[in-house]
């Protein structure tokens, strides 16, 4: 059986060997047993049911909670030459009938379906009349009421055990905790399932957490080495999402906003673009996440603190599904702590619930202030022990300096106490530094005994100290007021001199910025860049022709292997991991040509156009596009005009013109009779006020309108 599975792995999927426990899982399910699979994101869960589906006779039914996930998998299988379809609400009755007929004729191997549809009596009796190979229940944690993704429809999937007693069932999830695991077993009636628990470590992700100082500047520094990479930036509020997306686009990093306040259509559109285009950044609230199967997300950046380690793990886990190097980066500061604590305090819910949430937040804060290996700490929270420091996180790489902060901490606590436990960090630092300003005099704090006692430390060091006091629960935030600090019960031993306190020394921004160009940016080195881009642009072109995301043609890992192993014949190409029989036949030649260099000439122009259109759609100005592509602005304008003429771009996408000016220009063009005047005529008429390139674009838009 395993032999046969190996052959399918190579012939259909193009991979040489199973990863982790895939082999054992496939053997179990293919031979008719049930399985519960707990594997992190990117671990390779899909193969665990796709290979058995091909090994067993009959139709494999895959339950998936989201249309986007289904479509992605169906497109991927389609490219591999495997007959798969998704039944969902977007299909017409006729289309559905057609699919049913194909299923009855045995033409389909995998059927993807939403849970609510699967459990409809008509659907169930339809399936009972067929040979069903297996049921795969993806994202099985949706059955858990405690998780964030609870789907009531999942509860009804338990009946499959009774209705199809001889059909093997495999449930899969990337949610690890014990409680969810037991709920899945119970509710899905999987008592006899063999459990396959993988390590939840994501070794290819580099973790870095930096103190927040000038977050935008810090983010730009982080992004500087990652130009052209796709990534997600998480923020807490919708407003901030909008602002950061606009800011990044302005700075030459094409970015789109995503949050619950946008219309469904716009959200779906932005999500689609994120999947289909390369190098786009999604700036999002946590509303963006589930259903994102994009394998080549190269980084996840947090500009605000997640409220638990569960959330942090899940959000950062969206990076690097393809196993290539990826980064998890976060900037965090005292304001985050204050904000989350206030939110928690104002939330509905009973005391017990609040206590649980408080513990979760404390664990998140502890990771931020961690002085040991971040990965060890993160995994320990999920009950997994990593024996050695990982060597692949900021703490391991940069080392962490700690210092004895006992005395300054006592001064800080004393400043809180003596000023009446109601002032924020700004004022407290002023007291310690002895700043004799108006506010100080107004409240008379220049007479406090701690006034000016802390001149040995800088303002930044004091702020860092206060942040750590709050993170460790030694001081509390006044939740009703304006972020004033109070003493907490647990600071007593410190005040009484019974314990000492070691704190983390924050790195200077320059140090951390220098250290932050890590793994991902090293993916492709200078001399390979050109060929890498050529491979990517061929992939992009094929993806457009087939209307699928680029990674469905070939994942980055496969392109990278082509780049490194330089196959020169089809036989050699077949050995590249990720090149199965069908893709070899379809795409082998084309990629060989690029590798041989003969396809490079046409690349230049065709590719420039693709890229230009993506950049313009992402909201870049012509000047920014010119910088990005390294060509003249004049060239950019004429390519934009051309794209507008072909209706690949709208005028609004290409240029951001004030409405009045646009009206004036259009009037100028439309003034006369017959043929549109040339752009240079209009330029003269407007006294050279408007750039000629702009006029080309407006003219192209008018022309396109006439022809339509
Ligand atoms: P998950 O669903 O667990 O997040 P996927 O099934 O999407 O993970 O797999 C992640 C990536 O790893 C995909 O690009 C997939 O093709 C690739 N992959 C899975 N199994 C293997 C394997 N045995 N060898 C090489 N690549 C694999
Ligand atoms: Zn580490």
């Amino acid at each position: 059986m395993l032999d046969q599975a190996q052959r399918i792995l190579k012939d259909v999927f193009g991979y040489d060997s199973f990863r982790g426990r895939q082999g054992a899982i496939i053997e179990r399910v293919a031979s008719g047993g049930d399985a519960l699979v707990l594997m992190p994101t990117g671990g390779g869960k899909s193969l665990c049911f796709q290979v058995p589906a091909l090994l067993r006779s009959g139709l494999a039914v895959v339950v998936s909670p989201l249309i986007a996930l289904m479509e992605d998998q169906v497109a991927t299988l389609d490219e591999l030459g495997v007959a798969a379809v998704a039944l969902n609400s977007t299909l017409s009755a006729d289309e559905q009938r057609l699919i049913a007929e194909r299923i009855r004729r045995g033409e389909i191997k995998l059927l993807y379906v939403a849970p609510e549809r699967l459990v409809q009596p008509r659907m169930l009796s339809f399936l009972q009349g067929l040979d069903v190979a297996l049921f795969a229940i993806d994202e099985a944690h949706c059955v858990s009421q405690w998780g964030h993704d609870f789907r009531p429809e999942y509860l009804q999937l338990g009946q499959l055990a009774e209705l199809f007693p001889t059909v093997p069932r495999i449930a899969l999830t990337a949610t690890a905790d014990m409680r969810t695991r037991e709920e899945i077993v119970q509710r899905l009636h999987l008592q006899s399932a063999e459990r396959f628990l993988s390590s939840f470590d994501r070794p290819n992700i580099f973790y870095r957490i930096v103190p927040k100082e000038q977050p935008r500047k810090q983010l730009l520094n982080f992004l500087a080495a990652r130009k052209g990479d796709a990534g997600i930036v998480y923020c807490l509020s919708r407003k901030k999402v909008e602002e950061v997306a606009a800011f990044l686009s302005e700075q030459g990093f094409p970015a789109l906003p995503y949050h619950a306040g946008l219309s469904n259509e716009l959200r779906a559109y932005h999500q689609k673009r994120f999947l289909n285009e390369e190098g786009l950044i999604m700036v999002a609230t946590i509303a963006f996440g589930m259903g994102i199967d994009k394998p080549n997300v190269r980084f996840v950046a947090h500009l605000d603190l997640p409220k638990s380690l569960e959330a942090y793990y899940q959000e950062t886990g969206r990076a690097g599904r393809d196993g290539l190097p990826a980064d998890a980066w976060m900037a965090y500061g005292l304001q985050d702590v204050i904000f989350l604590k206030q939110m928690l305090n104002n939330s509905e819910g009973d005391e017990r619930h609040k206590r649980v949430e408080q513990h979760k937040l404390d664990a998140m804060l502890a990771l931020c202030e961690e002085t040991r290996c971040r990965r060890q700490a993160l995994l320990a929270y999920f009950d997994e022990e990593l024996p050695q420091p990982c060597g692949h996180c900021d703490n391991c790489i940069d080392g962490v300096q700690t210092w004895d902060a006992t005395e300054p901490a006592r001064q800080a606590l004393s400043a809180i106490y003596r000023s009446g436990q109601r002032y924020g960090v700004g004022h407290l630092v002023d007291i310690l530094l002895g700043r004799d300003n108006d506010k100080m005099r107004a409240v008379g704090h220049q007479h406090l005994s701690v006034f000016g006692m802390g001149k040995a430390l800088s303002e930044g060091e004091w702020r860092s100290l206060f942040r750590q006091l709050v993170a460790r629960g030694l001081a509390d935030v006044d939740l009703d007021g304006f972020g004033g600090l109070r003493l907490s019960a647990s600071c007593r031993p410190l005040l009484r001199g019974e314990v000492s306190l070691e704190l983390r020394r924050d790195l200077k921004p320059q140090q951390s910025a220098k250290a932050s160009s890590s793994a991902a940016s090293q993916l492709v080195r200078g001399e390979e860049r050109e060929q890498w881009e050529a491979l990517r642009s061929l992939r992009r072109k094929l993806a457009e022709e087939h209307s699928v995301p680029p990674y469905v043609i070939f994942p980055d890992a496969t392109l990278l292997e082509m780049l490194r192993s330089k196959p020169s014949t089809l036989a050699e190409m077949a050995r590249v991991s990720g090149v199965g029989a069908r893709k070899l036949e379809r795409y082998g030649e084309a990629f060989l040509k690029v590798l041989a260099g003969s396809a490079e000439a046409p690349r230049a122009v065709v590719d420039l156009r693709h890229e230009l259109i993506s950049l313009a759609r992402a909201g870049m100005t012509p000047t920014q596009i010119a910088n990005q592509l390294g060509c003249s602005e004049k060239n950019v304008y004429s390519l934009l005009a051309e794209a507008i003429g072909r209706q690949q771009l709208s005028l609004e996408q290409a240029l951001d013109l004030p409405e009045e000016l646009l009206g004036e220009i259009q009037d100028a063009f439309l003034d006369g009779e017959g043929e549109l005047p040339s752009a240079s005529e209009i330029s003269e008429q407007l006294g050279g006020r408007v750039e000629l390139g702009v006029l080309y674009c407006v003219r192209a838009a008018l022309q396109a309108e006439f022809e339509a």
Side-chain angles (χ1 to χ4, degrees), residues 354-628:
K354 280 190 189 175
R355 255 200 319 278
V356 172
E357 298 293 304
Q358 180 65 53
H359 280 306
K360 290 187 169 181
L361 176 56
D362 288 343
M364 181 71 241
L365 294 175
L367 182 75
C368 294
E369 307 293 358
E370 183 61 65
T371 53
R372 294 160 305 157
C373 168
R374 303 247 196 228
R375 192 179 312 268
Q376 277 183 319
L378 183 60
L379 289 174
Y381 181 79
F382 296 111
D383 298 318
E384 198 178 319
E385 191 196 346
L386 193 69
Q388 297 292 324
C390 73
H392 197 50
C393 71
D394 54 351
N395 286 359
C396 281
I397 295 288
D398 309 339
V400 180
Q401 289 179 14
T402 58
W403 60 295
D404 182 354
T406 313
E407 201 37 48
R410 289 168 65 181
Q411 291 175 345
L413 293 170
S414 168
I416 295 175
Y417 184 72
R418 294 188 187 281
S419 59
Q421 310 202 56
R422 53 204 179 89
Y423 289 93
V425 170
H427 184 67
L428 293 168
V429 172
D430 284 349
I431 294 177
L432 287 158
L433 293 176
R435 286 183 176 148
D436 200 354
N437 52 31
D438 287 350
K439 184 175 176 197
M440 201 60 69
R441 289 182 171 271
V443 290
H445 286 167
Q446 75 276 23
H447 302 304
L448 295 179
S449 57
V450 288
F451 184 76
M453 283 234 305
K455 288 184 180 161
L457 299 186
S458 70
E459 163 144 13
E461 286 167 322
W462 278 117
R463 285 183 176 271
S464 159
L465 184 138
F466 275 108
R467 186 193 76 226
Q468 296 188 59
L469 288 181
V470 174
R472 288 167 177 252
L474 294 166
D476 274 337
V477 179
D478 175 11
L479 294 172
D480 310 317
F482 303 92
L485 297 190
R486 293 183 271 119
L487 300 191
S488 74
S490 53
C491 77
R492 297 255 158 73
L494 183 65
L495 275 180
R496 287 199 294 259
E498 293 163 7
V499 294
S500 61
L501 182 68
E502 284 280 311
L503 289 183
R504 212 188 139 94
R505 195 182 286 289
D506 288 346
L507 282 178
K508 297 262 174 315
Q510 311 85 290
Q511 281 169 283
S512 58
K514 197 169 70 211
S516 79
S517 100
S518 78
S521 50
Q522 312 296 321
L523 223 55
V524 179
R525 277 171 236 101
E527 70 274 19
E528 298 171 330
R529 194 97 234 170
E530 198 174 325
Q531 197 156 47
W532 171 247
E533 291 305 335
L535 290 171
R536 290 219 304 181
S537 75
L538 172 60
R539 175 174 68 173
R540 193 157 49 221
K541 190 180 122 230
L542 293 170
E544 268 174 30
E545 284 170 16
H546 293 236
S547 323
V548 294
Y551 56 80
V552 168
I553 302 289
F554 281 127
D556 281 2
T558 301
L559 285 201
L560 207 57
E561 198 183 316
M562 283 184 199
L563 188 69
R564 302 273 150 81
S565 69
K566 304 219 180 316
S568 58
T569 63
L570 279 177
E572 282 170 12
M573 183 62 101
R575 283 202 283 278
V576 173
S577 176
V579 183
R582 166 66 80 99
K583 288 188 180 174
L584 181 70
E585 177 197 318
R586 277 196 181 169
Y587 310 128
E589 287 288 357
F591 281 92
L592 281 176
K593 254 193 212 149
V594 171
L595 287 165
S598 58
E600 263 169 41
R603 182 215 154 220
V605 185
V606 175
D607 192 39
L608 206 60
R609 287 197 181 115
H610 277 296
E611 195 141 347
L612 171 114
I613 290 171
S614 310
L615 296 177
R617 285 188 188 150
M620 276 195 173
T621 65
T623 317
Q624 287 164 341
I625 296 176
N627 286 338
Q628 174 91 7

